[in-house]
Amino acid sequence: MQLRRFTLSDDSAPLAALHGQCFAAGWDAADFDTYLSRETDDVLGLYIKGKLAGLSVLRTAADQSDILTICVLKKYRKKGAGRALLDRSEAVIRERGADIVFLDVAEDNPAAIALYRNAGYVQHGRRSGYYRRPGARIGALLFQKKL
Ligand SMILES: CC(C)(COP(=O)(O)OP(=O)(O)OC[C@H]1O[C@@H](n2cnc3c(N)ncnc32)[C@H](O)[C@@H]1OP(=O)(O)O)[C@@H](O)C(=O)NCCC(=O)NCCS
């Protein structure tokens, strides 16, 4: 597994393609261009055997960061890639001088909830009806971690 930080000179199309395979409403290339251009944001990619297998997007302001997204392609899941990406994301957050991390997760996403709990995140709140699903709305669990 290899991890790298993307820059504005990188092509955002593969990032959007990966995100679209992981989420029903994936972000497009223009979204990723915006993240890549922001001083506050980091876009990290995880490679397995030279192939882009996962990514995360982070936003840091002062001592706090939000993990805006984290995802791993289905065929690479349950092998530690998500945890490696999360650990590396936290290292980048520390490098920026922040030590509090926030993230939201849909309450119907047991894989992500397990990933965060196992990595030491604690729930500090809940937003009801935050995520849209076909014919339903799902609550968001709000997690935080002090690094
Ligand atoms: C969430 C996601 C990133 C996890 O990636 P992954 O590579 O499978 O994660 P890992 O293999 O590193 O597993 C991390 C932990 O989560 C647990 N886990 C992973 N998938 C799980 C599942 N389906 N059910 C229960 N626990 C699960 C693992 O047991 C592991 O626990 P451990 O640290 O005690 O071993 C991946 O499922 C994904 O991309 N999902 C779609 C996008 C998404 O929902 N992102 C999160 C949005 S908040």
Side-chain angles (χ1 to χ4, degrees), residues 22-23 70-72 77-83 104-105 109 111-112 114-116 118:
C22 292
F23 293 98
I70 183 163
C71 60
V72 172
R77 288 179 195 165
K78 293 197 168 180
K79 296 184 182 100
R83 182 59 187 264
D104 300 351
V105 57
N109 189 345
L115 168 65
Y116 303 138
N118 292 347

Side-chain angles (χ1 to χ4, degrees), residues 54-76:
L55 64 82
S56 67
V57 179
L58 323 171
R59 176 164 297 159
T60 304
D63 63 340
Q64 302 189 356
S65 284
D66 289 291
I67 296 181
L68 302 181
T69 197
I70 183 163
C71 60
V72 172
L73 283 176
K74 204 164 196 171
K75 69 188 240 193
Y76 298 110

Side-chain angles (χ1 to χ4, degrees), residues 37-114:
S37 68
R38 286 192 182 197
E39 185 56 37
T40 51
D41 298 352
D42 294 289
V43 181
L44 307 181
L46 175 136
Y47 290 81
I48 296 176
K49 292 183 181 162
K51 298 231 158 82
L52 182 64
L55 64 82
S56 67
V57 179
L58 323 171
R59 176 164 297 159
T60 304
D63 63 340
Q64 302 189 356
S65 284
D66 289 291
I67 296 181
L68 302 181
T69 197
I70 183 163
C71 60
V72 172
L73 283 176
K74 204 164 196 171
K75 69 188 240 193
Y76 298 110
R77 288 179 195 165
K78 293 197 168 180
K79 296 184 182 100
R83 182 59 187 264
L85 200 44
L86 185 59
D87 289 348
R88 180 70 185 124
S89 300
E90 291 176 358
V92 167
I93 287 166
R94 273 196 212 94
E95 282 165 23
R96 277 189 178 260
D99 63 357
I100 305 171
V101 188
F102 295 98
L103 55 86
D104 300 351
V105 57
E107 58 192 2
D108 64 349
N109 189 345
I113 292 169

Side-chain angles (χ1 to χ4, degrees), residues 23-35:
F23 293 98
W27 298 341
D28 63 21
D31 294 326
F32 277 98
D33 284 338
T34 304
Y35 293 120

Side-chain angles (χ1 to χ4, degrees), residues 107 125-131 137-142:
E107 58 192 2
R126 178 183 181 276
R127 284 191 189 123
S128 67
Y130 187 73
Y131 293 103
R137 295 195 76 104
I138 295 291
L141 305 183
L142 314 181

